[in-house]
Amino acid sequence: MDTSSLDVRFYPIETNERAKGNSYTVRWKVAYKKHSKTYKKSAVADDERSKLMAAHRKREPFDIELGLPVSWSSKAAEVNWFQFAVEYVDWKWPRASGNTRKNMAKALTPATIALLRTPPPAHFEPVKVRTALREYAFNVNRRNDPDAPVPDEVQTILDWIKRNSLPMSAWEKTENVDKVISALSTLLDGTAAAASSVARNDRIMNLVMGYAIRHNCLKANPFPKGKGERAAAKVAPAIDKRCLLNRDLVAKMLDWIGERPRRGSLYRAFFATLYFAGLRPEEAVGLRVGDATLPETGWGEFLVHEAQPEVGSQWTDTREVHEERELKGRGEGDTRTVPIHPSLPRCDPPRDHQGVQPQAGRSPFPRREGRHARGIRLPSRLGQGSRGDPV
């Protein structure tokens, strides 16, 4: 079946009278399919209509589905979305941090599922489809690991997705864009995702669209701009003070943590550092003993120069759970000085499981305890067995 035609008919520009200002709609028909596009200014609408008519006078064929001259089309119809997404990940991976890599995979996974020709077969469990995309297709480390090849079951799923993924031209249809937007802004249970997650996914997908435009896979960014139904709830710019702990409760909490078996003193010093110095967890993990100036009395000082966020070993180049990075929002090698509340030096210094204090040049908060990484998981681990405790 021919997808282009020379049978094109144009209609007069329609004026749409609105309370907030008029808009102008250009209408035309290619073969059997009608097309239209609305503009805010009449001069722009007239100019676009003139361009279409000029192409028709030159006897250029028009794409029946898109309604545009074939010569205007990008190579979107020739490129598979799934293959393009994998190509983008390969391009972005070397320069991206571990968290950026992980968030990129999280955003591309629902977008790819939304752009399938048909839903995955019943024998493909939904969780396995998402895992295959997030943990293998969009993870360069695991996809190209010679020591641990992609499992056959995962490869079967990815091959099916590759065959059934829509071409990049799917982004030129509003209904497909709406499907992707819905997938990026809702959770698996159908409830709305957090505003911060929606904003992060938007940033990632806009970068993907920019890469597609630069490589002539798309002519324009298909994601709508401005306010509308797509707008998510705003992220609160300030911390809710009702969620903050008062000094008495913090003191009780630190005492309770210090009584935990094995490494209670280390945990107590870790959380005391977060509270009294106002550090992020990844900054506290990156501290060295020599970075601290702790006088007997008065305020002390930390020289913060490194962050070690916990992102997962599959997302880092070193295959370590933590990734050594520069400080958030700062250039490589940049440092910042942090004042320390006088209460922090009065806390017991951290000790290892043998009761030995760390030496200068070493971290006061070792990142591992056996097979477990220290960092974000600490609160949940400390909370085990704490039911009924007033803290």
Side-chain angles (χ1 to χ4, degrees):
M1 181 178 178
D2 195 1
T3 59
S4 62
S5 175
L6 293 173
D7 181 14
V8 184
R9 181 178 179 182
F10 296 93
Y11 301 94
I13 296 177
E14 297 180 2
T15 302
N16 309 306
E17 296 183 356
R18 306 290 171 86
K20 294 184 178 181
N22 295 345
S23 61
Y24 305 88
T25 302
V26 179
R27 298 186 183 277
W28 72 102
K29 183 179 179 181
V30 180
Y32 56 85
K33 190 173 182 65
K34 294 182 179 180
H35 299 275
S36 65
K37 193 166 184 180
T38 302
Y39 302 89
K40 292 183 178 180
K41 295 184 178 181
S42 61
V44 177
D46 186 63
D47 182 60
E48 294 299 321
R49 182 173 183 271
S50 298
K51 291 179 181 178
L52 292 171
M53 295 180 68
H56 180 53
R57 285 194 294 268
K58 294 179 182 178
R59 304 294 294 171
E60 291 189 24
F62 278 56
D63 186 286
I64 296 176
E65 287 296 322
L66 300 179
L68 301 175
V70 174
S71 60
W72 291 14
S73 300
S74 63
K75 59 180 183 180
E78 307 170 7
V79 180
N80 177 290
W81 158 252
F82 172 69
Q83 292 175 297
F84 172 82
V86 171
E87 175 190 326
Y88 174 79
V89 170
D90 290 342
W91 172 78
K92 185 77 173 178
W93 191 271
R95 299 175 301 280
S97 67
N99 271 321
T100 298
R101 294 170 178 176
K102 181 165 60 175
N103 291 330
M104 181 169 55
K106 287 182 177 180
L108 290 174
T109 294
T112 300
I113 294 175
L115 292 176
L116 292 173
R117 299 179 190 278
T118 60
H123 62 276
F124 287 168
E125 295 181 23
V127 65
K128 291 185 177 181
V129 173
R130 294 191 299 272
T131 299
L133 288 170
R134 185 183 64 251
E135 301 293 336
Y136 289 92
F138 302 137
N139 187 317
V140 176
N141 285 348
R142 301 189 72 177
R143 174 161 37 92
N144 299 331
D145 189 349
D147 299 326
V150 178
D152 293 338
E153 183 182 13
V154 172
Q155 191 60 56
T156 300
I157 294 175
L158 295 181
D159 290 342
W160 183 90
I161 291 175
K162 181 178 178 181
R163 293 193 304 269
N164 290 272
S165 181
L166 291 171
M168 290 293 290
S169 56
W171 287 102
E172 298 173 357
K173 295 184 178 180
T174 304
E175 56 267 28
N176 290 327
V177 178
D178 289 343
K179 286 173 60 178
V180 174
I181 291 174
S182 177
L184 293 173
S185 57
T186 55
L187 302 178
L188 295 177
D189 60 3
T191 59
S196 58
S197 298
V198 175
R200 182 179 62 246
N201 289 337
D202 280 356
R203 289 194 299 270
I204 293 171
M205 293 307 298
N206 277 303
L207 291 174
V208 175
M209 294 299 106
Y211 180 84
I213 293 171
R214 293 197 304 274
H215 288 76
N216 198 33
C217 294
L218 291 176
K219 287 293 184 181
N221 189 338
F223 282 87
K225 303 294 182 182
K227 297 181 179 179
E229 296 181 358
R230 175 171 175 262
K234 293 183 178 180
V235 181
I239 298 175
D240 186 352
K241 293 184 178 180
R242 295 172 298 178
C243 300
L244 298 178
L245 302 178
N246 58 51
R247 288 180 294 179
D248 294 337
L249 190 55
V250 169
K252 292 181 181 179
M253 181 189 72
L254 293 177
D255 290 340
W256 178 85
I257 292 174
E259 295 171 357
R260 296 303 90 194
R262 296 191 64 188
R263 296 197 170 187
S265 65
L266 184 141
Y267 292 139
R268 183 174 186 269
F270 180 82
F271 284 102
T273 301
L274 300 186
Y275 180 76
F276 290 115
L279 297 183
R280 297 183 175 91
E282 61 266 27
E283 293 176 339
V285 173
L287 284 175
R288 298 294 180 268
V289 174
D291 299 333
T293 302
L294 300 176
E296 293 296 331
T297 59
W299 289 75
E301 184 177 272
F302 274 136
L303 182 63
V304 185
H305 58 85
E306 183 182 65
Q308 295 183 10
E310 180 184 354
V311 296
S313 58
Q314 70 269 39
W315 304 105
T316 62
D317 293 330
T318 60
R319 304 304 175 91
E320 294 287 338
V321 174
H322 289 260
E323 180 183 40
E324 296 183 1
R325 300 284 299 176
E326 63 276 0
L327 299 180
K328 187 173 183 178
R330 294 175 181 260
E332 184 176 356
D334 199 1
T335 63
R336 69 185 180 97
T337 302
V338 179
I340 304 173
H341 193 276
S343 300
L344 182 58
R346 292 197 293 269
C347 293
D348 293 334
R351 303 172 185 271
D352 63 15
H353 63 285
Q354 296 178 340
V356 179
Q357 295 185 22
Q359 302 299 315
R362 300 188 61 184
S363 172
F365 311 116
R367 295 185 301 182
R368 290 185 174 275
E369 180 180 348
R371 295 179 293 105
H372 302 285
R374 186 175 322 288
I376 299 173
R377 297 191 182 92
L378 276 176
S380 61
R381 294 180 60 202
L382 285 173
Q384 295 176 357
S386 63
R387 290 185 178 274
D389 193 287
V391 176

